[in-house]
Amino acid sequence: MKILISTILVLLTAPSFCQINFVRKSSWEEIAALAKAEKKLVFLHIEDDKCEQCNEIASKAFESFDLKEVFGQNYISFKANRETEDGRKLAEKFEIKKGAVSLFIDVNGNILNRLNGVAGAGFMYAEQADIALKRKAGKQLSDYVKEYNAGARSQKFLEEYIIKRRQAGMPVDELLEKYTGGLPLDSLNNFRIVKFIYMHGPSVDSRAYKATRSVTPGQVIDSIYKSSPYQEAVAINNAIISTTWQKAVAKKDRNLMYQLASFIQGTYNNDYLQGMIASQRSTVKFLYEIKDTVNYIREATQFLESTHMRLTADSLKRMDYKLMNPSQVGIPGSKTKQTRPQMPQSHFYHLDLNEHAWQVYQMSSKTGDLERALKWSFQSQEFFNSLYKDTAHPMRLGNAAYIDTYAQLLYKLGRKEEAIERQTKALEAQKITGSPHASYAATLEKMKDGTLLK
């Protein structure tokens, strides 16, 4: 599978003849003018050719009856591919770096809401559209930009500006630095202020984060996690992790990545093994993103061979059971423990195996690397099939994306007939789910013709 679809919210919808009416325009100015004339907002969906199935799933969702009313009455909708000139210009204008993204925008170009990735159910887009509609009144991003450029720096103003940018899915690390730098030193003893900083994801090398770690009493930080609902505590850590990881990738900063790995390990409290796996997962992903092929393949091999490939489906089931039926679990970032069930984690293991198998397929032509990736791919299928056997999971013939990865590895290894047999199974597995399968069919035809690039 070309891109691991862990970012896709795959909830299938029934076919419908109602769909979003995407207008044919060639520029933002034309789209905005039409929206202004009709007194509507703009829905902009940017496709990414690196994930054909993502585009197919989004297109299927756009046919949903759930979207007819909210989009028909309130939005001018436009769809562009980031590989086209129009798509590149729009991606640049709205700071879209990669992947499929949906934006809900007013006629002045203010982003009201953002959905990264794609959703496979129409109601999910309808929900995001409703959120944007509720945000269209009052001060918008452009108003805050004007005030900021004019010198506004009050604590209240910066807090509002940070919140507005986060709602739009835009980075706030520089603003957090300004915000923290302008605070009186004793403000970092204030529970509300420190929680505000943490909730908006300061990178672990930022002055904002370092200031709280050096000045804020430990009991204040601990109380932030203790008093927060479990999912909110997790969200705080995820915000810090996301900001730091993106910064490390952008700067190709290995030292920052090592700092982040240490932070991730610490969020798991006394569960050293899961913390180690999570930190290694992030480090390997970092090496892939900065295109350090040699170190990526070495670290991915060490990561998977020392953990994932030593596990069984039964051990994953036991892990899930323990997480969902805990005696006590640590609150992330705190020494406090409470009895709080957690989400199952087994799916990360077959996702990891498939993802790295595919990425090695992309990055290497060495037989040894490909043979090893083939084993990872096989294991991903074994885990998936064992975990969801005898359940109501729609992929009863297996995960088509995983079978596709295995088939393409076989093809690249010169095992054409086996590859065709497996790709045929991928197509069959996808068909019974009711979701799009054009990319699998196209790959199969290329295999038969001998035209699939290796």
Side-chain angles (χ1 to χ4, degrees), residues 128-405:
Q128 299 303 312
D130 282 334
I131 290 172
L133 287 169
K134 292 173 183 176
R135 293 175 178 169
K136 69 178 183 178
K139 286 174 65 173
Q140 298 301 330
L141 267 174
S142 56
D143 301 315
Y144 285 98
V145 171
K146 289 178 183 176
E147 290 184 43
Y148 185 82
N149 290 340
R153 294 294 188 276
S154 71
Q155 180 181 330
K156 181 176 182 296
F157 169 80
L158 288 174
E159 287 184 0
E160 291 176 359
Y161 190 14
I162 288 168
I163 291 170
K164 210 68 177 177
R165 283 185 65 87
R166 278 296 297 272
Q167 288 177 347
M170 301 173 75
V172 299
D173 41 325
E174 290 185 11
L175 280 178
L176 271 180
E177 297 286 76
K178 291 284 187 184
Y179 173 76
T180 308
L183 293 171
L185 195 60
D186 60 359
S187 294
L188 294 178
N189 295 328
N190 184 283
F191 174 90
R192 187 197 70 81
I193 290 175
V194 177
K195 184 174 182 179
F196 178 85
I197 293 170
Y198 270 46
M199 286 183 67
H200 290 89
S203 62
V204 297
D205 68 332
S206 66
R207 286 178 295 174
Y209 182 79
K210 290 178 178 178
T212 61
R213 302 303 294 182
S214 62
V215 175
T216 305
Q219 60 267 32
V220 173
I221 294 175
D222 194 48
S223 67
I224 290 172
Y225 288 98
K226 287 168 61 177
S227 63
S228 299
Y230 183 79
Q231 291 305 319
E232 185 177 280
V234 171
I236 289 171
N237 283 336
N238 285 344
I240 294 171
I241 291 167
S242 176
T243 301
T244 307
W245 191 85
Q246 291 176 35
K247 186 175 181 179
V249 169
K251 294 186 173 183
K252 297 186 178 181
D253 189 334
R254 295 169 191 268
N255 289 330
L256 180 53
M257 187 61 238
Y258 296 144
Q259 292 179 55
L260 176 59
S262 177
F263 175 85
I264 293 172
Q265 179 78 64
T267 65
Y268 281 79
N269 298 301
N270 296 324
D271 194 342
Y272 178 82
L273 177 60
Q274 290 305 312
M276 180 191 70
I277 290 172
S279 64
Q280 287 183 337
R281 180 180 286 128
S282 188
T283 301
V284 173
K285 183 180 178 184
F286 166 80
L287 293 170
Y288 174 76
E289 289 293 333
I290 67 171
K291 297 180 170 44
D292 184 347
T293 301
V294 173
N295 284 317
Y296 163 72
I297 292 178
R298 186 186 68 245
E299 292 295 322
T301 299
Q302 191 279 330
F303 172 50
L304 296 179
E305 295 293 335
S306 65
T307 52
H308 299 50
M309 296 298 287
R310 296 187 178 187
L311 295 170
T312 64
D314 285 341
S315 63
L316 291 178
K317 290 176 183 177
R318 288 194 295 270
M319 179 195 303
D320 283 350
Y321 181 83
K322 183 178 179 181
L323 289 170
M324 297 173 71
N325 301 275
S327 53
Q328 281 194 323
V329 297
I331 299 175
S334 169
K335 297 178 181 179
T336 302
K337 287 189 174 184
Q338 294 186 16
T339 303
R340 293 185 178 182
Q342 299 180 73
M343 295 297 291
Q345 299 291 303
S346 59
H347 62 285
F348 285 117
Y349 291 84
H350 54 77
L351 286 169
D352 284 342
L353 287 161
N354 178 70
E355 177 177 22
H356 294 300
W358 177 257
Q359 288 172 176
V360 169
Y361 167 89
Q362 290 179 307
M363 300 173 79
S364 178
S365 296
K366 294 180 180 179
T367 300
D369 292 340
L370 297 173
E371 291 284 3
R372 192 180 300 112
L374 191 70
K375 292 179 182 178
W376 300 344
S377 177
F378 181 82
Q379 185 80 318
S380 72
Q381 296 172 72
E382 288 290 292
F383 281 167
F384 184 90
N385 295 339
S386 297
L387 288 167
Y388 300 112
K389 183 181 179 181
D390 301 325
T391 70
H393 199 285
M395 296 182 185
R396 57 182 178 274
L397 293 184
N399 187 313
Y402 296 1
I403 304 171
D404 172 75
T405 297

